[in-house]
Amino acid sequence: MTTMKSPAIQVQNLRKVYTVSEQEAGTMAALGSLVRRRKVEVAAVDGISFDLAAGEIVGFLGPNGAGKTTTLKMLSGVLHPTSGDATVLGYVPSKREKSFLRQITLVMGQRNQLVWDIPALHSFELNRAIYRIPQEDYRRMLDELTALLELGPLLHKPVRNLSLGERMKCEIAAALLHRPSVVFLDEPTIGLDVTMQRRIRGFITEYNRRFGATVLLTSHYMADVEALCKRVVVIHHGKLLFDGDLSILVQKFTAHKTIEVQIGDCQADLNAYGEVVSCSDGHFTLRVPKAETARVTERLLADLPVIDLLVEDPPIEEVIELVFAQGNP
Amino acid sequence: MKALAELYAQQFKTTMAAMFQYRASLFIWMIGQVLEPLVYLIVWTIVSNSSGGSVGSYTTKEFAAYFIVLMLVNQITYTWIMYEFEYRVREGILSFALLKPVHPIHSDIADNVSSKLITLPIMIVIAVGLAVAFHASISPPLWAIGVFIPSLLLAFLVRFLLEWTLAQAAFWTTRVSAINQTYFVLLLFLSGQIAPLALLPHPVQIAAAILPFRWLISFPVEILLGQHTPAQALMGLGAQVAWLIVSIVLVRVVWRAGLRVYSAVGA
C-alpha cells in the first residue's frame, strides 16, 4: 500500500447552497407562483473540513439529507461548491479536468450507468474507449475484476436480466475499469442481501489493498462501516459532527454500556441493577451508566445465580442514532 | 483524434447491440418516418392531379420526388435528443456523463450516426419502392449531387447542434414539452416538411430562410431536385456554414450556463 505525504483529499470550509423554489399548496398559490416564484436557499453542506490520506478508507456517515451525496458530488466534480475549497489529488474537482476525471470514480448505489438492454460487457468496452484504457491494461483489469467479483456468467447477460446484487457488482466493475486511485462510493450496498453486502465489502477492502486507492464511502449499514472503516466522518444538517476513529466515536457519544447476563429464566426483576432492555430465555440485556458498570457487574455476580455475563459497548447502530439525535437542534 | 475515433467505433457497437434489442420499436419508429411524408405526398398528388397535373412550379412527379428525397433527408438529419435530455437531467443520468473525461455530445453524435447507418439501407429500399410507385422524376445535374452531400452533412450537424442546444432547456425548466412542441410545429412548416417552401407565401419563405429551418431539411432536397444554379447552391452552403458556426457557439455557451444551473439546483 502506498502512503504519500500530501493528503489525497482536502476539504476546507466546503459549502453548497441549493436554490429551491417553494410553492404553497392550493390553486391561488399555484397561480401566484406563475408570476413570482419564492426562492429559498438551503445549505445542504454547511462549511465542512476534513482531509483523507492516500490509501485511507473512511466512512462518511449521516442521516438522509445530511449532505453526504452532495459532498461526494462536489468532490467528483459533478457539482460546483458555493464556497470553500476542495482538492482531490491536487486537482480542483469542479474544473473537471480530463486528467482528474480519469483518476476518480463515483459509484451511486441507487443509480445505474450501465446500458440497460445489453450485456454489461458492452458498457465496459465503451468505458474502455471513453477512458482510453490501453487494450492490455483493460484485459488485465477486467480479468481481475471478474475474478474478484465473480462476474464470469454475468457479463454476457443483458443488464435488465440481472438481479440487483449482480447488477451492482457490474456497476462497480464498470466504475473501476480505469483503475481510479480515488473512489467515492455512495451507498454501494443499498438493497443488497447480507451475503452480497459482505462480498462487496470484501471487494472494497481488496481493491484498496491492491491498488492503494483512497476510498470515501457512505452507507446506512453499520456493518459496512465497522468492517471497512477505522475512521469515520459524521455530518448532520450539512455540518461536521465528528471526525476520528470509530472506537472513539463510540466512547464519546455513549454514556452507557450493555450488560448481557444469563440466569435461569426471566422471572427475576433486575430493574434494581439497571434498565432492562429485553429478556428472552433467561437472557437479560441491561443498560447501565458507563461509570457504574463495574459496580453493577459485581452486584449481579454476588446476588444472582449468573450462568454467563458479558459487558459490551452498545451496538454501533444505537451509537449512530444517538449521534444523530444530538445533532438535531 | 484517434481516441475519439475509437470512442465513436465503440459507441457504434453499443448502439448496434442495443438496437437489436429494440427491433420492434425501431421498426415502428421507421414506419413513422415513412408515413408522415407519405401522407403529404398523397395529399399533394391528389391536389396536383385535380388541378391539372401541377401546383405552382411543381408537377405531380416532382411532388413525388420532393417528398421522397425529403423523407431521406429528414431520416438522416433528425435527432431524438430533445425528448431524451429532460429525462437525463431529471433522473440524474447526466451526473454519470459529467464524471466521464469526454464531452457527452460525442456519445450522442456517435449514437445518432450509428442508428442512422443501420436504418439507412432499409430507408433507401423504401424510397426506391415509393419512387417507382409514384413515378417520381428526378434528374439532378452531376454537380448538384456533389453539392448535395456536403449540404446534407451540414444540415445534419446544424440540426443536431441546434436541437442539442434546445434540449438543454431542461436545465432551466421541468416542462420542456411546450418548447419542444413549438419547435416542432415551426420545423414542420418552415423546413418544407408539410409543403415545398416555394409554394408557401413569400413572407413565410423569407422567415424560413432567415431562421435556420430551411437549411435543416429543405435546402439539401432543393439541391438534389436540381432547383438551384451553382451560384445559389454555393450561397446556400455559405448560409449553412454560418449557421454551423452560430450553433457551435450556442451549444458551448448554453452548455456552460446550463451546467451552472444544474449544479445550483442539485443533480
Side-chain angles (χ1 to χ4, degrees):
Chain A
M1 196 150 77
T2 54
T3 38
M4 278 181 267
K5 277 161 206 87
S6 65
I9 299 173
Q10 281 179 294
V11 176
Q12 265 302 320
N13 278 322
L14 200 63
R15 253 172 77 81
K16 177 71 196 177
V17 179
Y18 291 128
T19 340
V20 184
S21 50
E22 263 194 357
Q23 191 190 310
E24 307 282 323
T27 318
M28 282 316 286
L31 283 174
S33 76
L34 280 177
V35 187
R36 196 159 44 98
R37 292 250 173 100
R38 200 148 56 100
K39 295 272 165 96
V40 178
E41 298 209 321
V42 181
V45 175
D46 202 0
I48 59 170
S49 308
F50 60 85
D51 286 358
L52 254 70
E56 218 179 344
I57 304 186
V58 172
F60 194 35
L61 309 182
N64 288 330
K68 300 180 305 272
T69 304
T70 300
T71 304
L72 292 189
K73 281 182 175 167
M74 284 194 277
L75 293 179
S76 52
V78 174
L79 295 180
H80 294 230
T82 307
S83 64
D85 295 305
T87 44
V88 175
L89 300 168
Y91 292 91
V92 175
S94 60
K95 288 187 181 163
R96 294 181 51 240
E97 286 168 72
K98 287 185 173 135
S99 49
F100 164 70
L101 294 173
R102 280 198 197 100
Q103 293 180 65
I104 64 143
T105 203
L106 166 63
V107 176
M108 291 183 267
Q110 317 201 50
R111 300 261 169 87
N112 26 337
Q113 66 155 326
L114 298 170
V115 184
W116 187 247
D117 289 292
I118 56 175
L121 200 57
H122 285 278
S123 295
F124 289 4
E125 289 277 348
L126 195 58
N127 273 2
R128 178 182 63 74
I130 287 171
Y131 285 100
R132 303 184 185 179
I133 309 168
Q135 198 63 252
E136 212 172 287
D137 296 357
Y138 170 76
R139 281 271 136 236
R140 198 177 322 125
M141 193 62 182
L142 182 60
D143 288 347
E144 243 174 287
L145 290 170
T146 305
L148 282 173
L149 286 164
E150 296 169 27
L151 299 179
L154 310 180
L155 291 178
H156 299 277
K157 281 191 213 166
V159 171
R160 71 177 143 149
N161 293 348
L162 301 177
S163 73
L164 184 62
E166 291 172 336
R167 206 167 71 217
M168 200 57 223
K169 291 202 291 184
C170 291
E171 287 284 344
I172 290 176
L176 295 176
L177 281 168
H178 60 290
R179 202 184 286 193
S181 46
V182 171
V183 178
F184 300 111
L185 299 169
D186 193 13
E187 304 279 354
T189 55
I190 197 157
L192 305 185
D193 64 45
V194 180
T195 319
M196 191 61 82
Q197 284 181 26
R198 196 174 301 132
R199 185 158 299 163
I200 301 263
R201 247 176 257 150
F203 170 76
I204 295 168
T205 314
E206 186 60 20
Y207 184 85
N208 163 267
R209 199 185 59 77
R210 257 187 223 199
F211 303 108
T214 312
V215 179
L216 185 57
L217 155 120
T218 79
S219 179
H220 285 299
Y221 301 115
M222 286 309 133
D224 284 349
V225 179
E226 276 186 296
L228 290 170
C229 318
K230 205 168 141 306
R231 177 182 158 207
V232 294
V233 171
V234 183
I235 65 168
H236 195 18
H237 295 302
K239 288 189 166 32
L240 198 82
L241 279 189
F242 178 83
D243 178 359
D245 276 13
L246 190 58
S247 55
I248 295 173
L249 177 80
V250 174
Q251 300 250 308
K252 191 176 164 190
F253 281 87
T254 53
H256 292 86
K257 287 256 184 191
T258 305
I259 300 178
E260 308 273 345
V261 56
Q262 201 177 347
I263 51 180
D265 50 41
C266 284
Q267 303 296 320
D269 180 10
L270 298 193
N271 276 312
Y273 300 92
E275 183 193 336
V276 178
V277 180
S278 66
C279 179
S280 68
D281 284 342
H283 189 110
F284 282 89
T285 305
L286 292 180
R287 188 150 64 181
V288 296
K290 225 192 284 188
E292 289 179 32
T293 317
R295 205 175 51 79
V296 171
T297 311
E298 210 173 301
R299 277 177 52 209
L300 281 166
L301 290 168
D303 300 352
L304 298 162
V306 173
I307 302 166
D308 195 12
L309 186 142
L310 194 65
V311 179
E312 280 180 320
D313 281 322
I316 187 78
E317 275 86 1
E318 227 166 83
V319 179
I320 292 295
E321 226 178 278
L322 272 168
V323 177
F324 293 169
Q326 291 188 19
N328 273 320
Chain B
M1 208 56 206
K2 185 168 165 277
L4 215 52
E6 168 93 39
L7 171 65
Y8 276 69
Q10 206 53 58
Q11 182 70 54
F12 179 74
K13 282 186 203 161
T14 309
T15 301
M16 273 285 265
M19 286 180 90
F20 271 99
Q21 298 285 333
Y22 293 126
R23 268 160 303 190
S25 60
L26 189 67
F27 188 67
I28 294 165
W29 252 121
M30 255 173 32
I31 292 176
Q33 291 284 317
V34 173
L35 226 48
E36 199 181 315
L38 188 62
V39 168
Y40 298 132
L41 168 54
I42 291 168
V43 169
W44 282 106
T45 304
I46 294 167
V47 171
S48 173
N49 282 338
S50 65
S51 44
S54 71
V55 178
S57 53
Y58 277 77
T59 64
T60 308
K61 286 179 177 180
E62 280 169 344
F63 271 120
Y66 178 84
F67 281 107
I68 291 164
V69 174
L70 183 114
M71 178 186 84
L72 287 175
V73 170
N74 188 40
Q75 160 70 13
I76 288 165
T77 58
Y78 89 100
T79 81
W80 49 89
I81 189 68
M82 291 174 69
Y83 301 104
E84 206 178 297
F85 209 85
E86 185 206 6
Y87 167 74
R88 286 188 201 169
V89 171
R90 188 160 33 85
E91 298 292 314
I93 295 167
L94 193 71
S95 297
F96 278 116
L98 293 177
L99 288 171
K100 301 281 162 68
V102 62
H103 196 298
I105 202 168
H106 289 298
S107 282
D108 286 335
I109 295 177
D111 182 40
N112 192 305
V113 171
S114 315
S115 52
K116 300 299 177 54
L117 286 176
I118 296 162
T119 47
L120 195 60
I122 309 167
M123 289 302 279
I124 288 175
V125 171
I126 294 172
V128 171
L130 285 177
V132 173
F134 284 86
H135 311 289
S137 90
I138 179 173
S139 52
L142 212 56
W143 69 263
I145 298 172
V147 176
F148 172 71
I149 303 295
S151 76
L152 183 64
L153 193 69
L154 282 164
F156 167 72
L157 284 174
V158 175
R159 188 170 173 186
F160 188 91
L161 293 169
L162 283 180
E163 292 184 2
W164 215 85
T165 307
L166 280 173
Q168 290 176 65
F171 284 131
W172 283 271
T173 169
T174 46
R175 296 276 170 267
V176 292
S177 50
I179 295 167
N180 289 359
Q181 212 48 49
T182 311
Y183 170 79
F184 286 121
V185 167
L186 286 172
L187 187 72
L188 187 66
F189 282 96
L190 298 181
S191 69
Q193 279 180 297
I194 210 164
L197 288 176
L199 302 185
L200 296 179
H202 197 60
V204 178
Q205 289 187 38
I206 292 173
I210 293 172
L211 295 169
F213 297 103
R214 181 183 169 200
W215 315 108
L216 303 182
I217 302 176
S218 177
F219 179 66
V221 182
E222 295 163 22
I223 292 285
L224 198 66
L225 260 54
Q227 294 176 350
H228 293 302
T229 64
Q232 285 169 324
L234 276 181
M235 288 272 285
L237 285 181
Q240 283 188 309
V241 171
W243 272 110
L244 180 65
I245 294 165
V246 170
S247 52
I248 289 172
V249 172
L250 275 176
V251 155
R252 286 171 160 269
V253 171
V254 174
W255 173 246
R256 241 174 251 156
L259 280 188
R260 269 200 295 276
V261 175
Y262 186 65
S263 177
V265 296

